[in-house]
Amino acid sequence: MEKTVNQKAWFLVLPVLVLVAFSAVIPLMTVVNYSVQDTFGNNQFFWAGLEWFKEMLDSERMWNALGRQLMFSGIILLIEVPLGVFVALNMPKSGFWSSFCLVLMSLPLLIPWNVVGTIWQIFGRVDIGLLGYTLDALGIDYNYTQDTVAAWITIVVMDVWHWTSLVALLAYAGLKSIPDAYYQAAKIDQASRWKVFRYIELPKMMGVLMIAILLRFMDSFMIYTEPFVVTGGGPGNATTLLSIDLVKMALGQFDLGPAAAFSLMYFLVILLISWVFYTVMINLEKREG
Amino acid sequence: MAKITLDNLAHSYLPNPTSEDDYALKELNHDWEDGAAYALLGASGCGKSTLLNIISGLLHPSQGRILFDGKDVTNAPTAERNIAQVFQFPVVYDTMSVRDNLAFPLRNRGRDESYVAERVQEIARMIGMEDMLNRKARGLTADAKQKISLGRGMVRKDVNALLFDEPLTVIDPHMKWELRTQLKKLHHDFGHTMIYVTHDQTEALTFADKVVVMYDGRVVQIGTPDELFERPEHTFVGYFIGSPGMNVIPAKVEGNKAYINGSHVDLGHGYGPVEGKVEIGVRPEFARLSHDDGLPVNIRRIEDVGRHKIIRADFFGHDINIIAGEDDEISADMNRVSFDAAHVNVYANDWRIAPKGTLGEAA
């Protein structure tokens, strides 16, 4: 068939180009702009090259924040994924209680981030919070505003409370898609409960679990609101995760150049990790197909 | 290998069944002979999978007993019954190799590795998959997967029966025939008791020594393919088996004649008084179209299916099918149908009536 050339077709893609330009490209470019310039005020900028990037790469502060961030994401993945799978395995497969569990577990997912932070901030307070007060009354030394370990436990438990449901719901969906015949065959083959999990349920859940891990990794790697509301990054810098540190640098200290370089590197790290995940997932699907 | 006895067996999915309609499987007594190949044939939802699942122990019957070689296993769990089952959709353990798949039931039972290796090799030879043993089960074709699940069933030496639940549903047509042949050969060589559930009459008739036809939760006939064709015990059997199925026409039966709208049809045998809803059943193969012989019909359509012609016609307001040879000339003035008297069956309330004097033979 002969193709008709009609340049007016560009108008059809124009809206989306404009939208993406204003929502993503232009804001990102201003960040790029800041990252290669310096200023002494008066809105006068001059070229700084890759100076800020070098400075950030040498900065102990950023590496520490990155370390804390990786530790946070690692811990919550290690807890949420197995816990989510465990919950999914033990959920009722049908009937009233199945719907009941689904609704109950969706609830934390529907609460806005800053509300979750506030809930836990109050919940953990030693003077008026149910959790903090109870622990204190039991003689356990718990104070998330002063003790690093307590602060970490609080933000980790909060994240687990907020997001394990997501993993559980995804895993549950994966489990539900397994035909009954598999379980019947396993019974006939006299497979133990562990083998049923290992050779039937886990392989069938792998696809959704990868998505769950990717989502939870990205979300936790970018987390800001909840820990900020609870600990504000403290005590000291103990819970200052990457995004908290970035905001401190950019808005607290108004170091626009280093902050811009920082956020670009942050962005690239997330992009890189997501790309690796995506590639792994696609390959997994290919192997299955 | 074992003889499987069903004793007063019935099943309902409701907790408190009251009427007969509540039962998915109506009361049933039957012996599955040791080493025979049975097909369980019926439309979807007639209770055949229910029956199969009760035999394999995946379902506990509401009433009655199941015996393997006289031993009551009604309450025995699936694993203890030594049953192998092949499901509609191939069940293989995706992450394992073909070898590990076949070894799985033996390893779960704690057999030592040298025995396992030997058995796996043997089974792989039987199902023709020796050269694929080291491949991952994932990514194999549906028929290969189905062979693996069959092999996993046969790998245990103490298998009492092999059950098949519509195993060829997802197999490509050209592979169906090959698998069926292979199955038949396996049965011939190793003599497992086999029960094969299907709703495909060709599958049932070619596979089995005996076909068990089920309808609405009830076993309506058990017989050889020949018997099902010649003497369907229930109008459903007549209708379900054959292509097209048997013609069933309301009639009045007196002695050795049947009356349809005042005209009569000769019957091969004499009958006593027949009560209830009386019908005669004639297979299209035994109906003949001609100029002058028999009762009037209106031809509506002629279908040429290649090896013969199917004539769809109207017979006193009832649909009737007639099969004519591929080379038979059919002209517009051929508007009479006659039946081969020896092959006309009489039904009262859907069940076949035995002709007088032949009561013994009909059973």
Side-chain angles (χ1 to χ4, degrees), chain B residues 250-251 259-263 316-318:
Chain B
Y259 293 89
I260 304 164
N261 274 29
S263 317
F316 296 115
H318 302 285

Side-chain angles (χ1 to χ4, degrees), chain A:
Chain A
M1 213 176 79
E2 193 70 26
K3 273 186 187 164
T4 345
V5 177
N6 186 348
Q7 301 295 354
K8 281 183 195 142
W10 284 107
F11 286 109
L12 293 176
V13 285
L14 199 62
V16 105
L17 284 180
V18 171
L19 206 68
V20 171
F22 276 96
S23 72
V25 180
I26 295 174
L28 187 67
M29 283 309 125
T30 58
V31 175
V32 173
N33 195 28
Y34 283 134
S35 73
V36 290
Q37 301 192 64
D38 199 357
T39 177
F40 293 120
N42 289 335
N43 221 13
Q44 285 179 321
F45 288 87
F46 53 91
W47 180 252
L50 293 177
E51 226 22 68
W52 296 130
F53 289 91
K54 277 189 203 130
E55 192 185 306
M56 286 324 297
L57 284 175
D58 288 338
S59 135
E60 208 178 314
R61 174 178 169 185
M62 191 184 98
W63 287 110
N64 286 341
L66 181 65
R68 284 191 290 269
Q69 184 65 67
L70 287 173
M71 186 161 92
F72 179 74
S73 291
I75 291 175
I76 65 110
L77 281 180
L78 278 178
I79 297 175
E80 285 175 18
V81 173
L83 186 63
V85 170
F86 179 78
V87 170
L89 285 174
N90 288 292
M91 266 172 69
K93 293 280 173 291
S94 58
F96 169 79
W97 290 109
S98 159
S99 322
F100 181 80
C101 286
L102 287 175
V103 171
L104 196 70
M105 297 210 318
S106 318
L107 282 180
L109 301 177
L110 300 173
I111 302 176
W113 289 260
N114 56 345
V115 176
V116 171
T118 312
I119 289 173
W120 281 83
Q121 204 265 349
I122 296 171
F123 190 43
R125 276 174 67 162
V126 185
D127 49 353
I128 55 166
L130 184 62
L131 175 73
Y133 187 84
T134 311
L135 287 178
D136 202 46
L138 290 173
I140 297 164
D141 186 22
Y142 167 86
N143 188 336
Y144 65 79
T145 56
Q146 282 160 24
D147 180 28
T148 303
V149 178
W152 266 85
I153 289 175
T154 310
I155 61 168
V156 165
V157 170
M158 173 175 65
D159 198 82
V160 168
W161 175 83
H162 195 182
W163 291 110
T164 303
S165 304
L166 180 78
V167 182
L169 291 178
L170 283 169
Y172 183 70
L175 280 177
K176 287 275 274 193
S177 70
I178 303 175
D180 267 351
Y182 277 85
Y183 293 105
Q184 297 176 343
K187 250 193 215 172
I188 288 168
D189 292 339
Q190 235 175 54
S192 60
R193 182 71 192 88
W194 163 248
K195 282 187 175 169
V196 169
F197 174 72
R198 170 70 187 77
Y199 295 111
I200 298 174
E201 293 172 331
L202 195 58
K204 295 275 170 196
M205 270 193 291
M206 223 44 206
V208 283
L209 273 188
M210 291 304 280
I211 293 172
I213 292 173
L214 177 62
L215 285 177
R216 279 319 297 133
F217 175 79
M218 282 182 19
D219 260 4
S220 67
F221 204 74
M222 300 187 292
I223 195 167
Y224 174 76
T225 318
E226 298 153 276
F228 182 76
V229 172
V230 176
T231 65
N237 273 332
T239 56
T240 303
L241 304 173
L242 275 179
S243 61
I244 296 178
D245 205 18
L246 179 62
V247 173
K248 269 187 190 168
M249 194 185 288
L251 302 178
Q253 300 156 225
F254 221 70
D255 284 337
L256 287 184
F262 185 163
S263 50
L264 280 181
M265 287 190 283
Y266 192 0
F267 173 61
L268 288 178
V269 168
I270 290 177
L271 207 62
L272 178 76
I273 293 174
S274 303
W275 176 77
V276 168
F277 246 95
Y278 180 76
T279 317
V280 169
M281 251 159 60
I282 292 294
N283 281 339
L284 261 182
E285 263 163 40
K286 258 193 214 144
R287 251 175 48 206
E288 273 177 41

Side-chain angles (χ1 to χ4, degrees), chain B residues 128-140:
Chain B
M129 294 191 77
E130 275 171 302
D131 49 342
M132 290 198 217
L133 276 177
N134 291 322
R135 283 195 42 187
K136 273 251 154 74
R138 163 183 295 156
L140 292 176

Side-chain angles (χ1 to χ4, degrees), chain B residues 157-199:
Chain B
K157 270 210 167 127
D158 51 2
V159 166
N160 280 323
L162 279 168
L163 310 181
F164 300 87
D165 193 353
E166 308 193 19
L168 302 182
T169 313
V170 294
I171 310 293
D172 287 342
H174 68 284
M175 287 304 299
K176 276 190 187 181
W177 181 82
E178 194 183 315
L179 272 184
R180 213 159 53 214
T181 318
Q182 216 168 4
L183 218 53
K184 190 129 187 145
K185 184 174 178 312
L186 285 175
H187 178 250
H188 183 259
D189 293 353
F190 300 96
H192 293 94
T193 309
M194 289 187 178
I195 302 176
Y196 188 108
V197 165
T198 178
H199 57 239

